[in-house]
Amino acid sequence: MKRHVSLEEISDGHLYDAQGVVKVGCGGCRGCSYCCRDMGESAILDPLDLMRMEQATGLSPKVLLEEGKIELNVVDGVVLPNLRMREEDGACVFLNREGRCDIHAFRPGICRLFPLGRLYHETKKSVVGGNIEWDTADSFQYFVQIYECPAPNKTKVRIRKWLEQPDLPRYEAYILAWHNFLEHAETRIKYETDDLIIRNINLLILEVFFMKPYDQEEDFYVQFEERLATTKDVLEIS
């Protein structure tokens, strides 16, 4: 989800790589659960998140959707899944009565990232169909969203440790590839005038990347790259 604000408005103005040290946690987060409440539709999920949620719950993506653990919403023109907040208290459906996450070890990337954000560096143009042009990012950096977490007495932590993402270089390459694909799909949809084609593009993205389960015994990133290459060919995305 894009935020149409300047970096100066929401951060301390500094950018970091994964080795950077930032003040983000109160001794490792002690369970205030502020970031698990009243998030609306903003806790957007990526394909790896859905695979991990299936590992945590034993439920396929389709069942997670049917049981109201996740929901679908339009994000910058593309239909994507997000964590659902409970109507009665505004809390994430995976937040238990003790204020802890029931799937913490398998929590989505956006939860691991909070209260950090990513700034993508767009350096080149890509063209499809001879007349549709978009920016393509070749890297990103992290920044601290200084108004998002109200916890007092924040402590310093290295970003790679905060994220708790195994094989971080591969994960970051995946996040960059997914970001660029969504940017391209959004542009394709923006310039499409046929509603049926827009619907079919969204159905294709949902089915290929989210609803079709990933083999839990095989490498996720290899499976993702195969699906990405096939989908880009179908959508004529470079």
Side-chain angles (χ1 to χ4, degrees), residues 120-124 135-140 172-173 176 179-180:
Y120 292 87
H121 301 293
E122 297 170 338
T123 60
K124 61 182 180 179
D135 292 317
T136 298
D138 64 356
S139 64
F140 64 80
E172 290 186 326
L176 187 62
H179 166 83
N180 281 329

Side-chain angles (χ1 to χ4, degrees), residues 18-83:
Q19 297 299 329
V21 176
V22 293
K23 274 191 173 183
V24 292
C26 50
C29 278
R30 294 169 184 163
C32 77
S33 71
Y34 174 86
C35 58
C36 305
R37 300 177 183 274
D38 301 318
M39 293 293 107
E41 301 165 1
S42 65
I44 300 165
L45 304 171
D46 62 47
L48 179 57
D49 295 332
L50 264 292
M51 191 192 81
R52 285 176 170 166
M53 290 173 69
E54 184 174 1
Q55 289 177 323
T57 64
L59 304 177
S60 71
K62 290 182 179 179
V63 174
L64 287 169
L65 183 61
E66 290 168 358
E67 294 194 358
K69 304 296 185 184
I70 63 174
E71 58 187 8
L72 301 178
N73 285 288
V74 178
V75 183
D76 300 321
V78 181
V79 178
L80 295 172
N82 60 267
L83 288 172

Side-chain angles (χ1 to χ4, degrees), residues 1 35 39 41-46 49 52 82-83 107-116 118 145 162-163 165 171 175:
M1 179 180 292
C35 58
M39 293 293 107
E41 301 165 1
S42 65
I44 300 165
L45 304 171
D46 62 47
D49 295 332
R52 285 176 170 166
N82 60 267
L83 288 172
R107 66 196 184 280
I110 194 169
C111 304
R112 295 168 189 263
L113 185 66
F114 185 90
L116 301 177
R118 299 189 189 98
Q145 301 180 84
W162 180 256
L163 296 176
Q165 289 284 6
Y171 176 76
I175 286 295

Side-chain angles (χ1 to χ4, degrees), residues 146-175:
I146 57 177
Y147 302 113
E148 295 298 320
C149 177
N153 305 316
K154 293 181 176 65
T155 56
K156 291 183 177 180
V157 62
R158 197 172 299 279
I159 289 175
R160 67 178 304 118
K161 182 177 180 181
W162 180 256
L163 296 176
E164 292 187 337
Q165 289 284 6
D167 202 351
L168 187 58
R170 290 186 78 194
Y171 176 76
E172 290 186 326
Y174 153 72
I175 286 295

Side-chain angles (χ1 to χ4, degrees), residues 12 24 34 46 57 66 75 87 99 124-125 136 141 143 151 156 176 181 191 203-204 212 221 234:
D12 58 8
V24 292
Y34 174 86
D46 62 47
T57 64
E66 290 168 358
V75 183
E87 287 81 2
K124 61 182 180 179
K125 298 286 187 180
T136 298
Q141 289 177 284
F143 62 89
K156 291 183 177 180
L176 187 62
F181 172 75
Y191 288 97
L203 287 175
L204 176 68
K212 179 182 177 182
Y221 297 115
V234 172

